[in-house]
């Protein structure tokens, strides 16, 4: 319950005010952005050529795919419903930050995640898609060396029958000759897509269902929870496999299938948290004052449950990223997508000789997951009022 | 309350049935895939693609009317008459019975170790918050979770199997279950799996226990001079056991059948994970339905038990009037 | 969808599956780990746990050691009537020799039986007299064979669901098979076919005792036949194979032990090396799906032999404990052009097809992608085949030396676009609508090598021909279903149809999804029986999913050659066929990769020939 706007006194209430649809600035901003995006989308749809043709900045141009559009919408949601509230409610934000800062590992992790996010957003537009170039395959990273028989030809110096890495490929190349640095940056993009889009699918559906079920109760609750039951135990992996057989693997399918089928856990969590909160006094008061169900859910229950949701999310996202890597390992992903998992999978037969192919993206994957864990832990401590007054 | 339990149990059966039906429908739609490949081979060898299709359908009973196939499968599942697996050349029950022991060999130690370590580390961290052990343990738990299991497994196998020659590279299915040889080849898979799953249990345990560590009654006990061990056991563990057991119940249900396909592929263990995966790949309907049935039923019952435990132990939530 | 690592191999002891597999999902070879028990086909490796060969005073070799092979994927079943995969064939083949084998010189080596013919049309098959079934079914007689062929293979409506029933029918009619006496039966082909013994119809063919079959034949009990325990436990194998079945632990290992009664030891018309065959106490096949584990096991000596991917070959060649064998194999990797209505029209012109292969440097491809373990291919026959004649093909060596590069490629392309609305704008080819031409190229998701091949081809075409290429990946099964299978649009009449993969004339019958080029499927060039490849090049061939219509008399030449008994004349005819194919390039022939197999150095037996493994019963360990 953040009350940063100046307190309104009883005398200030205008009983004659017209009852219209009151749009908070937040929602208004979001809807405007959505409308603008819709226009651009329609424009792009009608036009045959890519939206951005190759230019000095975007080396390969940029033809927005469905995935890109979903991503942009998620980004807009993120900006308006996470960043903007954080910016407007400054006191609360400062308080969270103070709590968060106590955990140093989490601060470092947050920095790392921001770096990944920025690189993933901007990097792929500046780095061109890696080409298959077998003559430069199996180059070691700079500073390391490998036996000369492994690569076809050595880009760096050959000393004592060992090929050394060079700055041309600072992180080395794969068995196909693709630059691992490019692959890592492109992999960041894939990871943040998975993270952002699925998290918004999961939050929006899961939190809504959870709070509605908790607050409304009765038959609605029963039906919703039974559906969640089925969805949670439904073998979504099986569904994904069979869809792959029908349509071939793609990142969009992965995100849709698992985003639309994984919100069950969140819904249950939210529901139990909301169940606790809906017995609280301020909800009673709101109801007495005449607030409708929607209003109570939106303004009183949801914000207080958001802590649980966010923490849950910071654990769900790394799980999904890991899962995608696992699927790539099993050759069930989309081989044209340069995700970290694909690169790890491609290099696993060469672990004895060209170990960097699997290890470098593996390390990035590991660090990202680790970062999410630390951040999630610290967020839980910061956002959960129960742990206030620690230390 | 009893009425609620009975209703949910009935619901477990219905949910399993619904999921099985959807699974069957999905398999039916994708069955066409394998068929085309066989037809192609027939065409290439100068044979008749039509005849190949007829043969294939006849073998798998696909030439019966749709509803008939569906009804047959559902009744068979219910009566435990699970049929014959064409991709394994043995009855489905035999296939599961073959694969189950291998899964149990790693899932039992995995579950036990996870619970043991998860609980103890979580409790210790809660009572010694912000100590070095707390940080180290948390870091280790996170480390295990963050490392991709499959990659970790392969790296360890190369390290210990090839370079150090301490473990065999190829899984030997003939090793007696409780022998040293078997232990040697199971050490790595169990290690990889355990390190991956401790984190969430640790975190949850710590969070729950913390609530009671900070509680006023604990502080009172400490002020009174009660021994640390007594505090831990009576004032922290006992109330924390309430929400913890809800998680444990669900975890322990998977004691025997929790399987990880990734680990099985990397280490070559012929367990349940790869059984169900290969079944899907080969579109072996009876086997897929049977493995789905087992997995789904246990999961649904697990959910139910978790809900019941929660309500029994936390009187604030009452299912009576829902 | 098979999880075979995208490789199809021929087996050393060919079960028809291995050889008839004209399709390779993904790539013809290069991935190891599939079967290829004895080296042929690669993938299975065997390891030996003991060394030492003992010979007694008479110089007879004694069995010693345990052979451990690997397979990348497990078999589906031991009931060979219903299985199609190479692993099943390998498992069963250890316990059943099959009718006869074919040696390095493409001569028939009689195992259970010997074929003979006077006119190349009627074949008399004579069984040996010391073949005995297990499980109390007595001697193997001609009656067992004839009963099986007539009632199961040629069963009414194929009630048994036998996977290779088509082999026993010609033009829709069952091939007549007659029992002559106890140990002889006759196969009466409708046409003259001198290469019949080399075809996987009787070559490597197994048999079942009549005693088992007659419980299921009268009632046409498919399920019973499929689930019969004696068949599934290989209890009927008697003295018919080098090993007897011991146990099968699914997805883990398949164990057989030396057969003390192996019939070959009683024979006197075979060479010394067969006297005391086999020379291993047991033969085990381990199933290891992870390639790195297979290679590690080979390095550590935990398996006797395994297939090796090209990029690891050097490393194993330098290892002292492992011998590496590079074996030619018959699958060709080619660029398929879609000449149907939903493909690219220009592919119907020969110069256009030639232009594409001129644009790709086959030597660089072989050197870089396969590390030199592949040969450029120019026609539908490998160089090692006895039917390959260099002379006629010389002028059609597209993609190497002078016939590679932007000049030869564009020259031909310009000839192809004469009279059309296509034109070259500088370096780029523009279509009739004035925009740059972009074509699609499909590769298999199952094989990285396949995808890399596609990417390399795409790069070469883009730079040498100025045509954009868009790469798409699909699973093998999906490709067959949506891109290969074609049919006329609903309601349209077609004058002829040749089945699911050639639903009619190329202007009418199209696949569900459009495509321009693909490398997904690999084709067998049939170096032993080249007439088998005729089906790819007939307008009404039932695998002609790409819509090829020959410009010269290729199908007629094929038919004539397969009927000619005189070998010299046959060779001339085939030479002419392959020369014409080299010119017309119905597919863009690219490469023929070799099979690379590694085996512990104690193993003696595998060779670097195409037929290596045909006499695997004679392999042994040298101390």
């Amino acid at each position: 319950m953040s009350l940063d706007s100046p307190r309104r006194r009883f005398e200030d209430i205008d009983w004659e005010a017209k009852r219209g649809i009151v749009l908070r600035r937040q929602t208004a901003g979001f809807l405007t952005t959505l409308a603008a995006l819709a226009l651009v989308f329609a424009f792009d749809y009608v036009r045959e050529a890519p939206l951005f043709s190759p230019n000095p900045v975007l080396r390969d141009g940029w033809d927005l795919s469905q995935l890109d559009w979903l991503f942009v919408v998620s980004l807009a949601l993120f900006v308006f419903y996470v960043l903007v509230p954080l910016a407007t409610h400054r006191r609360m934000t400062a308080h969270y930050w103070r709590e968060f800062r106590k955990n140093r590992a989490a601060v470092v992790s947050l920095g790392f995640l921001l770096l990944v996010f920025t690189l993933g957003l901007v990097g792929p537009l500046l780095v061109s898609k890696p080409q298959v170039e077998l003559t430069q395959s199996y180059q070691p990273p700079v500073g390391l060396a490998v036996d000369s028989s492994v690569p076809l030809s050595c880009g760096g110096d050959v000393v004592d029958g060992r090929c050394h890495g060079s700055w041309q490929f600072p992180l080395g190349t794969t068995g196909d000759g693709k630059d691992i640095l490019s692959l890592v940056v492109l992999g960041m993009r894939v990871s943040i897509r998975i993270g952002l889009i699925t998290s918004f699918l999961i939050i929006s559906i899961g939190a809504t269902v959870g709070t509605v079920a908790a607050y409304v109760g009765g038959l609605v609750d029963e039906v919703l929870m039974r559906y969640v039951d089925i969805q949670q135990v439904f073998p979504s992996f099986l569904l994904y496999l069979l869809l792959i057989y029908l349509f071939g693997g793609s990142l969009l399918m992965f995100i849709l299938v698992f985003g639309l089928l994984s919100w069950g856990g969140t819904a249950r969590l939210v529901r139990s948290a909301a169940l606790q909160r809906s017995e609280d006094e301020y909800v009673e008061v709101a109801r007495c004052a005449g607030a409708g169900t929607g209003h109570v859910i939106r303004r009183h229950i949801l914000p207080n449950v958001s802590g649980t949701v966010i923490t849950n999310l910071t654990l769900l996202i790394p799980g999904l990223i890991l899962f995608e890597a696992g699927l790539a390992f099993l050759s069930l992903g989309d081989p044209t997508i340069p995700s970290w998992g694909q690169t790890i999978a491609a290099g696993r037969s060469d672990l004895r000789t060209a170990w960097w192919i699997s290890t470098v993206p593996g390390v990035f994957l590991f660090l990202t997951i680790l970062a999410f864990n630390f951040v999630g832990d610290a967020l839980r401590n910061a956002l959960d009022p129960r742990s206030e007054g620690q230390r | 309350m009893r009425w609620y339990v009975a209703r949910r149990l009935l619901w477990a059966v219905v949910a399993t049935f619904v999921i099985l039906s959807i699974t069957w429908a999905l398999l039916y739609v994708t069955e066409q895939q394998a068929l085309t490949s066989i037809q192609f081979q027939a065409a290439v060898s100068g044979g008749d693609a039509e005849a190949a299709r007829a043969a294939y359908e006849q073998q798998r009973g696909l030439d019966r009317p749709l509803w008939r196939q569906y009804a047959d499968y559902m009744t068979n599942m219910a009566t435990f008459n699970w049929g014959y697996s064409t991709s394994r050349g043995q009855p489905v029950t035999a296939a599961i019975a073959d694969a189950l022991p291998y899964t149990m060999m790693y899932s039992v130690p995995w579950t036990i170790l996870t619970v043991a370590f998860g609980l103890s580390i979580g409790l210790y961290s809660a009572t010694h918050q912000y100590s070095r052990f707390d940080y180290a343990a948390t870091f280790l738990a996170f480390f295990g979770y963050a490392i991709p299991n499959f990659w970790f497994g392969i790296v360890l196998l190369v390290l210990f199997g090839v370079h150090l020659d301490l473990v065999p590279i190829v899984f030997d299915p003939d090793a007696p279950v409780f022998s040293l040889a078997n232990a040697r080849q199971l050490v790595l898979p169990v290690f990889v799996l355990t390190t991956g799953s401790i984190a969430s249990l640790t975190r949850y345990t710590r969070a729950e226990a913390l609530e009671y560590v900070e509680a006023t009654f604990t502080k009172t006990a400490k002020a009174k001079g009660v021994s640390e061990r007594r505090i831990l056991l009576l004032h922290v563990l006992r109330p924390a056991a309430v929400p913890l057991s809800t998680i444990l119940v669900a975890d322990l249900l998977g004691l025997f059948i929790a399987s990880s396909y990734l680990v099985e592929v990397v280490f070559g263990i012929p367990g349940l994970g790869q059984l169900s995966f290969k079944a899907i790949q080969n579109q072996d309907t009876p086997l897929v339905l049977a493995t789905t049935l087992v997995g789904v039923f246990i999961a649904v019952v697990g959910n139910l038990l978790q809900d019941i435990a929660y309500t029994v132990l936390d009187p604030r939530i009452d299912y009576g009037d829902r | 969808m098979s999880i075979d690592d995208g490789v199809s191999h021929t087996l050393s002891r060919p079960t028809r599956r291995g050889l008839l597999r004209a399709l390779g999902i993904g790539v013809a070879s290069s991935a190891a780990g599939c079967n290829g028990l004895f080296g042929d086909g690669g993938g299975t490796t065997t390891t030996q746990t003991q060394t030492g060969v003992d010979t007694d005073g008479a110089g007879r070799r004694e069995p010693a050691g345990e052979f451990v092979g690997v397979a990348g994927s497990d078999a589906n079943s031991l009931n060979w009537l219903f299985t199609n995969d190479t692993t099943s064939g390998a498992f069963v083949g250890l316990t059943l020799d099959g009718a006869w084998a074919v040696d390095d010189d493409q001569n028939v080596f009689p195992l259970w039986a010997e074929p003979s013919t006077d006119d190349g049309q009627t074949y008399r098959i004579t069984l040996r007299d010391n073949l005995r079934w297990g499980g109390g079914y007595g001697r193997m007689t001609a009656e067992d064979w004839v009963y099986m062929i007539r009632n199961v293979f040629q069963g009414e409506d194929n009630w048994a669901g036998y996977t290779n029933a088509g082999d026993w029918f010609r033009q829709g009619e069952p091939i007549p098979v007659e029992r002559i006496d106890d140990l002889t039966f006759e196969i009466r082909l409708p046409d003259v076919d001198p290469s019949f013994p080399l075809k996987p119809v009787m070559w490597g063919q197994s048999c079942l005792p009549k005693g088992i079959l007659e419980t299921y034949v009268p009632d046409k009990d498919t399920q019973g036949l499929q689930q019969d325990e004696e068949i599934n436990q290989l209890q009927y194998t008697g003295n018919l194979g080098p090993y007897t079945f011991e146990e099968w632990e699914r997805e883990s290992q398949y164990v057989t032990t030396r057969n003390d009664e192996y019939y070959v030891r009683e024979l006197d018309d075979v060479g010394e090396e067969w006297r005391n065959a086999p020379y291993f106490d047991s033969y085990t096949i381990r199933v290891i799906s992870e390639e790195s584990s297979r290679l590690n096991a080979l390095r550590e000596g935990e398996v006797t032999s395994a297939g090796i991917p090209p990029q690891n070959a050097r490393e194993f060649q330098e290892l002292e404990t492992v011998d590496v064998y590079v074996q030619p194999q018959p699958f060709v990797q080619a660029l398929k052009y879609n000449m149907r209505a939903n493909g690219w029209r220009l592919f119907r012109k020969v110069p256009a097809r030639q232009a594409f292969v001129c644009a790709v440097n086959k030597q660089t491809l072989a050197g870089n992608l396969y590390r030199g373990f592949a040969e450029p291919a120019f026609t539908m026959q490998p160089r090692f085949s006895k039917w390959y004649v260099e002379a006629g093909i010389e002028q059609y060596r597209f993609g190497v030396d002078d016939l590679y590069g932007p000049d030869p490629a564009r020259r031909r392309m310009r000839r192809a676009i004469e009279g059309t609305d296509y034109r070259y704008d500088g370096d780029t080819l523009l279509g009739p609508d004035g925009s740059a031409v972009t074509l699609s190229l499909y590769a298999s998701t199952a094989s990285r090598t396949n995808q890399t091949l596609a990417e390399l081809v795409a790069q070469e075409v883009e730079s040498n021909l100025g045509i954009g290429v868009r790469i798409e990946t699909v699973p093998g099964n999906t490709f067959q279903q949506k891109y290969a299978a074609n049919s006329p649009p609903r309601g349209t009449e077609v004058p002829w149809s040749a089945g699911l993969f050639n639903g009619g004339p190329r202007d009418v019958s199209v696949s569900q999804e459009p495509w321009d080029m693909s490398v997904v499927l690999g084709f067998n060039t049939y170096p032993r029986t080249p007439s088998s490849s005729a089906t790819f090049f007939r307008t009404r061939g039932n695998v002609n999913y790409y819509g090829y219509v020959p410009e010269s008399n290729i199908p007629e030449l094929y038919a004539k050659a397969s009927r000619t008994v005189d070998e010299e004349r046959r060779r001339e005819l085939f030479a002419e066929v392959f020369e014409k194919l080299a010119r017309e390039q119905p597919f863009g022939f690219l490469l023929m990769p070799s099979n690379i197999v590694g085996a512990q150095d104690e193993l003696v037996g595998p060779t670097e020939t195409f037929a290596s493994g045909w006499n695997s019963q004679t392999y042994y360990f040298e101390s």
Side-chain angles (χ1 to χ4, degrees), chain C residues 541-557:
Chain C
N542 54 1
V543 208
N544 192 345
Y545 65 90
Y546 32 88
Y548 169 65
V549 171
E551 275 182 26
S552 46
N553 60 342
I554 293 176
E556 288 80 17
L557 282 175

Side-chain angles (χ1 to χ4, degrees), chain A residues 182-315:
Chain A
S182 313
L183 284 177
V184 163
V185 170
L186 288 171
M188 287 181 189
R189 174 163 81 157
V190 172
S191 297
I192 64 174
R193 275 194 184 171
I194 296 176
L196 212 58
I197 304 180
T198 47
S199 61
F200 279 104
L201 280 176
I202 291 176
I203 284 193
S204 38
I205 306 180
T208 321
V209 168
T211 39
V212 164
Y215 189 68
V216 174
L219 186 63
V220 173
D221 178 28
E222 191 69 25
V223 166
L224 282 175
M225 282 304 111
R226 290 316 120 237
Y227 172 73
V228 166
D229 259 353
I230 292 195
Q231 189 187 272
Q232 265 196 310
V233 296
F234 185 80
S236 45
F237 182 60
L238 173 70
L239 174 66
Y240 178 69
L241 273 188
L242 295 175
L243 282 179
I244 289 196
Y245 292 160
L246 288 176
F247 302 113
S250 78
L251 191 59
L252 181 65
M253 181 165 345
F254 174 84
I255 290 182
L256 282 181
V257 168
F258 291 105
L260 294 175
L261 289 180
S262 308
W263 52 264
T266 313
R268 284 175 131 238
L269 211 66
V270 167
R271 175 174 169 273
S272 60
L275 272 177
Q276 288 181 323
R277 304 260 186 256
S278 57
E279 307 298 326
D280 282 342
E281 291 76 17
Y282 55 87
V283 173
E284 282 278 337
V285 168
R287 266 203 299 241
C288 286
T293 317
H295 182 92
V296 171
I297 293 182
R298 251 195 1 258
R299 296 230 47 199
H300 296 288
I301 301 199
L302 260 184
N304 287 297
V305 158
S306 58
T308 331
V309 170
I310 291 185
T311 323
N312 177 247
L313 205 64
T314 50
L315 300 178

Side-chain angles (χ1 to χ4, degrees), chain C residues 120-264:
Chain C
Q121 192 170 359
T122 305
Y123 284 87
R124 181 167 293 225
I125 316 287
T126 316
L127 298 169
R128 292 190 192 274
D129 57 3
N130 61 341
L131 303 171
R132 292 182 296 277
W133 296 110
Y137 290 103
R139 224 165 50 135
M140 177 191 279
T141 60
E143 181 59 26
D144 292 314
W145 281 88
V146 175
Y147 188 82
M148 177 183 70
I149 294 173
R150 284 234 194 101
N151 296 299
V152 179
F153 294 179
Q154 297 173 338
E156 205 180 306
D157 297 325
N158 197 9
W159 64 266
Y162 178 52
T163 29
N164 292 297
D167 288 342
W168 292 93
F169 288 79
R170 292 287 155 91
Q171 286 113 22
E173 287 301 313
I175 301 177
V177 176
E178 286 294 329
R179 175 179 171 279
I180 305 295
D181 63 37
D182 236 9
L183 293 175
T184 332
F185 64 98
E186 253 183 19
I187 301 179
R188 302 191 182 131
L189 302 172
D191 297 311
V192 170
D193 188 0
S195 60
F196 177 73
L198 299 180
K199 292 191 173 161
V201 182
M202 278 297 289
W203 171 23
Q205 177 61 51
S206 242
C207 185
L208 283 168
K210 178 175 173 191
I212 298 184
L213 293 176
E214 57 190 5
T215 25
Y216 305 106
V217 164
D219 302 319
K220 302 210 171 117
D221 183 4
T222 321
Q223 262 205 350
L225 187 58
Q226 198 181 27
Q227 301 178 14
D228 177 275
E229 191 157 319
E230 279 180 314
I231 300 184
N232 278 303
Q233 307 268 17
L234 292 176
Q235 288 172 4
Y236 58 95
T237 58
N239 71 345
L240 300 170
Y243 300 93
T244 41
F245 173 67
E246 175 87 11
E247 70 170 348
W248 181 23
E249 285 162 26
R250 305 280 194 296
E251 298 298 331
S252 185
Q253 64 181 8
Y254 175 82
V255 183
T256 59
T257 48
R258 185 168 184 269
N259 189 350
D260 290 322
E261 296 162 5
Y262 189 35
Y263 72 96
V264 162

